[in-house]
Amino acid sequence: MISVRSLRLPSSGNKYLIGIVIALFIMGCTPKVRVLRGSGSSAPPKTDTPADKDKKEADKAVTDAEKVDVKRIALLLPFELNKANPHAPSAEDIKRSALALDFFQGFKLGLDALAEQGVNFRLDVLDTRDDANENARIAKLEEVQDAALVVGPVYPKEIQVFGFNAGLSDALQISPLAASMPSEFNLPNLVTITAPITAHVRALAAHIAGQYQTGDVIVLYNTQDAASRQFLSPLKAAIQRVKKNAKVVEVQDEASLESNIHLSGKNLVVLGTANKYQISPIIAHLHKLQDELSYRINLFGHPNWSKLAFDEHDGLSNFQAAITTSYYIDSQASDVRRFGLRYQQEFGIAPTEFAYKGYDAAYYFGGLLAKYGAGYKEHIVQEEYVGLHNAFKFEYNPSWGYVNNAIAILQYRDGDFRPLK
């Protein structure tokens, strides 16, 4: 079990700060909760009877046995309590700490689920403050150096500084949220949960290659912004590796688009920008080509389209528009509903994206610790997982560690992007 006490948070704005303050000082999570007296307090001496002594010895034996089984985890999150006013938290204080608290609460429920199966955990939660110097200090603490698993930090600059200073040899460092390229850090014990853009590129290339037939053309529409450049160039190379005979052309405007599309086959158009102001007029032009000139067009977008506000007037469903994603919550799934109910009961609020991610991280990696002990990292590549928000399918690189490559394809229908059937 773990000794994180259940906490029901009020539904007011203060719920976050109250939860954060409590989280930071209760996190010496041992199999038993022990209350320590301060140096200024005293208690009258108590004379033990023989029966009391026997009971103490038995309790000590049980406690020692439990300690042996404890899986120690360090959770490093940017609560930034040093910037908050504990007496009168502002809206900015709450907003600044919300991500960390949501992830922590989901993580706690993940460990709770494992604890119900009889697994003991010790969880130490540390505030990284979103500060490089603080991460360098935390990296040397006993709570980190003695941990079998380190989850965090969250932000790229923290990941780099912490990883360099911690010098972890046996424990793995989990990057739970950052979508940065793991090659930026070059930490061989780093585990990147959020699939980087390269994983999206490979998945979309394979999907488009599967749609391609002789006579079709793949059109990469490059609007010359950063998102297009980062996405389309590797996508072209990946498509050509998967489908060597595929016809792939690049266009930059409406004129070059019209000169390269075909009437005889499908036009598989990939729009690389994530800027809605650039997307809308291009989609309007595609509608004209399809509706008035009878071109057959299938549309593919940038992964960040999932964060944009589309509606039926955009007509994405007419193009069977598809994107890749590393995050999707099916609100109708039974396990998602159970988690939402448990989270609501425990904390008095609905779970966020970060709460789901916290739960999956705890349940997967805590499960590995429970099953394999100190040798858990030898099994990450083999142990795949389907969670509440995504699947985990890790590949290992000796230079930058373990990278999750689980990507889903979403297609726009009924007013939203949904998993492709």
Side-chain angles (χ1 to χ4, degrees):
M1 66 180 188
I2 60 173
S3 65
V4 183
R5 288 173 284 177
S6 296
L7 174 64
R8 185 181 298 277
L9 300 178
S11 57
S12 69
N14 287 339
K15 63 181 179 293
Y16 289 108
L17 197 62
I18 294 170
I20 295 166
V21 172
I22 292 177
L24 266 291
F25 75 76
I26 67 172
M27 289 301 103
C29 302
T30 56
K32 290 197 172 185
V33 178
R34 290 171 290 180
V35 180
L36 304 181
R37 295 181 180 276
S39 59
S41 63
S42 62
K46 182 178 182 295
T47 302
D48 289 340
T49 65
D52 291 332
K53 291 180 179 179
D54 291 342
K55 184 175 185 301
K56 283 186 176 182
E57 290 177 0
D59 287 345
K60 183 178 184 300
V62 171
T63 301
D64 289 343
E66 288 179 328
K67 284 181 179 177
V68 171
D69 189 45
V70 168
K71 314 299 190 292
R72 189 164 187 175
I73 301 173
L75 180 60
L76 283 56
L77 296 172
F79 293 100
E80 300 187 65
L81 286 180
N82 56 308
K83 300 177 182 177
N85 182 345
H87 304 294
S90 66
E92 186 61 28
D93 291 336
I94 295 167
K95 180 180 179 181
R96 185 169 51 243
S97 303
L99 178 154
L101 183 59
D102 289 347
F103 188 91
F104 161 71
Q105 291 176 165
F107 196 90
K108 175 189 178 299
L109 291 190
L111 291 189
D112 283 347
L114 292 170
E116 290 170 0
Q117 301 172 24
V119 184
N120 293 329
F121 293 97
R122 175 185 174 93
L123 179 64
D124 297 296
V125 176
L126 301 167
D127 183 3
T128 63
R129 301 183 180 180
D130 188 19
D131 178 80
N133 292 331
E134 182 66 9
N135 276 271
R137 184 189 73 83
I138 287 175
K140 303 297 185 182
L141 294 180
E142 176 186 337
E143 292 90 337
V144 169
Q145 293 298 317
D146 291 349
L149 174 70
V150 177
V151 180
V154 167
Y155 301 125
K157 67 177 181 179
E158 294 183 310
I159 294 170
Q160 183 78 69
V161 171
F162 174 85
F164 177 79
N165 285 275
L168 302 175
S169 57
D170 296 322
L172 292 178
Q173 177 185 342
I174 312 302
S175 171
L177 300 176
S180 306
M181 289 291 294
S183 56
E184 294 179 15
F185 308 116
N186 285 322
L187 298 171
N189 66 327
L190 185 69
V191 181
T192 302
I193 289 182
T194 303
I197 192 67
T198 51
H200 289 270
V201 164
R202 288 197 301 270
L204 185 59
H207 180 67
I208 291 175
Q211 302 290 308
Y212 183 89
Q213 295 178 340
T214 303
D216 294 345
V217 60
I218 300 170
V219 181
L220 307 182
Y221 200 125
N222 190 339
T223 58
Q224 304 298 315
D225 60 355
S228 289
R229 290 193 298 270
Q230 183 190 38
F231 189 51
L232 294 182
S233 180
L235 180 64
K236 179 179 180 181
I239 291 172
Q240 291 175 331
R241 283 195 299 270
V242 178
K243 200 81 171 180
K244 292 182 173 58
N245 63 338
K247 182 175 182 179
V248 182
V249 299
E250 297 182 71
V251 302
Q252 294 80 38
D253 51 36
E254 293 182 1
S256 58
L257 171 66
E258 291 192 22
S259 64
N260 281 282
I261 58 175
H262 293 179
L263 274 171
S264 57
K266 295 192 303 295
N267 298 278
L268 308 176
V269 179
V270 185
L271 185 50
T273 184
N275 185 329
K276 184 68 186 298
Y277 295 104
Q278 290 183 315
I279 295 169
S280 294
I282 296 173
I283 289 179
H285 186 65
L286 292 175
H287 275 297
K288 178 180 178 181
L289 294 174
Q290 180 169 268
D291 298 341
E292 297 180 13
L293 302 175
S294 300
Y295 286 96
R296 288 187 291 160
I297 298 172
N298 287 0
L299 182 62
F300 305 89
H302 191 280
N304 285 343
W305 282 21
S306 63
K307 301 176 183 178
L308 302 179
F310 292 100
D311 57 37
E312 288 302 323
H313 292 95
D314 292 303
L316 292 185
S317 57
N318 295 334
F319 300 118
Q320 300 177 356
I323 62 173
T324 56
T325 187
S326 62
Y327 170 79
Y328 182 79
I329 293 293
D330 182 0
S331 60
Q332 301 305 312
S334 58
D335 54 348
V336 172
R337 292 201 304 270
R338 282 194 299 269
F339 173 77
L341 179 61
R342 177 77 178 269
Y343 194 93
Q344 183 80 37
Q345 291 172 340
E346 186 89 1
F347 305 112
I349 54 175
T352 66
E353 166 187 344
F354 303 112
Y356 288 106
K357 291 181 175 180
Y359 177 92
D360 281 335
Y363 196 83
Y364 175 74
F365 290 102
L368 287 179
L369 271 177
K371 186 175 181 180
Y372 298 110
Y376 71 97
K377 63 181 181 180
E378 305 299 328
H379 302 273
I380 289 181
V381 172
Q382 291 78 31
E383 293 276 345
E384 297 184 10
Y385 170 78
V386 178
L388 300 179
H389 87 286
N390 189 25
F392 294 162
K393 184 178 180 181
F394 291 100
E395 293 181 1
Y396 177 69
N397 182 290
S399 296
W400 56 73
Y402 302 84
V403 182
N404 184 21
N405 285 286
I407 296 292
I409 304 294
L410 303 181
Q411 189 176 77
Y412 194 87
R413 61 181 186 276
D414 301 325
D416 201 1
F417 285 102
R418 304 177 187 278
L420 188 65
K421 295 180 179 178

